[in-house]
Amino acid sequence: MKLLNIFKNFSKDESGAVTVDWVVLTAAVVGLGLLVMSQITPAIDAAGAQITTDLQNATALGR
């Protein structure tokens, strides 16, 4: 019976529930950030390449 009481008390204890909620929320925010970055990285790379090309052409023309 003592073991049964330990399990009942454990199932009713909510002391770590807030921590678990924050961990799940943080993981979701990080996951969304990674998803966004994976989608916009090609556009950022293309813009950087275009800027490099423009600066090289401006230097070659003596501007």
Side-chain angles (χ1 to χ4, degrees):
M1 286 305 239
K2 187 173 184 177
L3 187 60
L4 186 58
N5 288 337
I6 291 173
F7 283 126
K8 283 181 182 179
N9 289 337
F10 180 76
S11 68
K12 292 178 184 178
D13 187 17
E14 296 182 7
S15 63
V18 174
T19 303
V20 171
D21 290 343
W22 276 106
V23 168
V24 171
L25 181 63
T26 303
V29 169
V30 169
L32 286 173
L34 290 173
L35 181 66
V36 168
M37 284 303 297
S38 71
Q39 295 298 310
I40 65 172
T41 298
I44 292 172
D45 289 340
Q50 184 61 45
I51 291 169
T52 302
T53 302
D54 291 345
L55 288 174
Q56 287 173 344
N57 288 341
T59 304
L61 294 175
R63 294 185 191 171

